[in-house]
Amino acid sequence: MLLEDLQVILKVAEFRSITGAATALDMRTATASAAVKRVEASLGTELFIRTTRQLRLSSAGERYLPECEKALLVLELAKQNMQESLEFIEGSIRIALSSDLGRNLVTPWLDEFMDANPKVTLRSNISDSNIDFYRDSIDMALRYGSPNDSGMVGFKICDVPRVLCATPEYLEKNGTPNHPNDLLDHNALFYQLHDMLQNTWKFSNGEQDYKIKLTGNRASNDGDLVRRWCVSGKGIAIKSCLDMSEDLLSGKVISLMPEYKTTATELWLVCPSKQSITPSVRLLRDLFRQKTGDILSKLSTSGIIK
């Protein structure tokens, strides 16, 4: 009995369809059907009850499939442990990244990782929209904010201060704000998520909190576009210091009102389950921690963040 045939059986049970399983596994329907027949012939019993309109598990299938799934999981974990002990990484990395962080920082880090592990393949999903791990076929997501699903497994990468920033050219033309209320006289660049315009910005100086509703002529659901507007001098933005790190360190943009802190965020590497934590996930977790730590250290040494 082939392991590949057992994987087909599990997919058929998941989709309740041989055609659906074949599509998910990127194979012909006839190939998937043959795999089902081989397993049933080997067991001497039918695992599925087929009618003209539907396919469902037989009583034998209901008993066999959970044990089959456990066995395949044990074999996969054994393979991962062996590869980890040999420091040998292969296979596909399917990762979701936010637009700004993904394009400008993480993609070069992944290039380094793949150069060091030439048998790894990459599937990168770059979007600021929420990812459905199963619908979008994603193994891990590097995201701002802690996991909001108790069934997921997450690794905190770092704390991420957010900064209020603008270009020197914009400030020379429009003046430099020194207090949250001064922002009412400026053009704010907004991030918009799920039709929710984030036009109310919060600040604190440790003694008093400020909540300022601003106006601006640009908004986008793409964080990278908001950064590009800011760097081109179109207005003032609040952004993750990681997203703006290269621009801050080069002096293209300036951090404003450092005594008035904005709400910080966190960067997490999230997986759908414990079983999805592979050697690649652990190595990427460590890589992301090292890379972000280096950036935060440079920003701190430069006095941009405290």
Side-chain angles (χ1 to χ4, degrees):
M1 190 182 300
L2 299 175
L3 292 179
E4 292 80 1
D5 288 350
L6 297 180
Q7 291 166 345
V8 171
I9 289 292
L10 292 177
K11 278 297 180 184
V12 172
E14 177 185 346
F15 284 92
R16 294 293 193 270
S17 165
I18 292 177
T19 301
T23 301
L25 294 170
D26 194 22
M27 64 172 56
R28 295 169 56 236
T29 299
T31 304
S33 180
V36 172
K37 291 177 181 178
R38 281 195 296 269
V39 174
E40 290 181 330
S42 176
L43 295 173
T45 185
E46 289 189 343
L47 298 177
F48 301 98
I49 297 174
R50 304 163 178 81
T51 68
T52 56
R53 300 185 63 182
Q54 64 178 355
L55 179 149
R56 60 184 176 85
L57 283 172
S58 66
S59 58
E62 290 176 350
R63 294 193 303 272
Y64 180 73
L65 267 295
E67 299 302 322
C68 176
E69 188 171 14
K70 289 178 186 177
L72 288 178
L73 179 58
V74 169
L75 290 173
E76 179 62 26
L77 291 175
K79 177 182 176 182
Q80 291 173 11
N81 290 336
M82 181 193 70
Q83 291 176 346
E84 186 174 17
S85 66
L86 296 174
E87 297 184 351
F88 176 74
I89 303 297
E90 66 176 1
S92 176
I93 294 174
R94 302 181 300 177
I95 186 169
L97 304 166
S98 58
S99 65
D100 204 341
L101 190 72
R103 291 190 182 99
N104 301 310
L105 285 180
V106 181
T107 294
W109 301 346
L110 292 173
D111 289 339
E112 290 181 26
F113 183 84
M114 293 179 70
D115 288 342
N117 300 278
K119 291 197 174 183
V120 166
T121 61
L122 175 66
R123 301 292 181 268
S124 180
N125 183 320
I126 294 184
S127 172
D128 285 332
S129 299
N130 289 334
I131 291 296
D132 183 312
F133 280 100
Y134 303 100
R135 181 195 65 206
D136 299 312
S137 296
I138 295 298
D139 300 318
M140 67 191 93
L142 187 66
R143 289 291 189 202
Y144 289 116
S146 58
N148 54 13
D149 186 332
S150 60
M152 294 181 182
V153 178
F155 300 101
K156 183 178 176 181
I157 303 302
C158 62
D159 293 311
V160 185
R162 298 168 76 221
V163 293
L164 179 73
C165 50
T167 62
E169 294 77 14
Y170 173 86
L171 297 172
E172 182 178 354
K173 181 178 179 180
N174 297 280
T176 301
N178 297 303
H179 186 277
N181 289 330
D182 294 344
L183 294 173
L184 295 171
D185 298 323
H186 286 268
N187 187 54
L189 305 172
F190 298 128
Y191 180 63
Q192 182 171 323
L193 184 63
H194 304 310
D195 297 326
M196 295 294 294
L197 185 65
Q198 298 183 4
N199 61 347
T200 299
W201 294 356
K202 299 177 182 179
F203 302 88
S204 176
N205 62 1
E207 298 179 356
Q208 186 173 350
D209 296 332
Y210 299 87
K211 190 174 180 181
I212 311 295
K213 187 171 184 179
L214 303 176
T215 58
N217 63 3
R218 285 175 170 83
S220 176
N221 64 348
D222 187 313
D224 185 39
L225 181 54
V226 176
R227 183 193 65 82
R228 290 171 185 268
W229 284 336
C230 183
V231 173
S232 62
K234 304 304 182 185
I236 290 180
I238 285 183
K239 291 281 293 175
S240 149
C241 69
L242 290 179
D243 291 349
M244 302 299 297
S245 57
E246 292 184 3
D247 304 310
L248 289 164
L249 291 168
S250 67
K252 288 182 181 178
V253 299
I254 297 173
S255 176
L256 304 171
M257 302 185 336
E259 64 274 22
Y260 293 95
K261 304 294 184 185
T262 62
T263 304
T265 185
E266 299 173 346
L267 186 65
W268 283 72
L269 182 64
V270 182
C271 298
S273 67
K274 289 183 179 180
Q275 289 74 25
S276 60
I277 301 174
T278 64
S280 292
V281 170
R282 287 189 283 268
L283 285 175
L284 287 173
R285 173 199 61 192
D286 296 341
L287 174 67
F288 295 153
R289 285 175 175 170
Q290 179 253 311
K291 292 289 190 181
T292 56
D294 289 347
I295 292 174
L296 294 171
S297 178
K298 289 178 183 179
L299 292 172
S300 178
T301 301
S302 302
I304 295 171
I305 61 172
K306 297 180 181 178

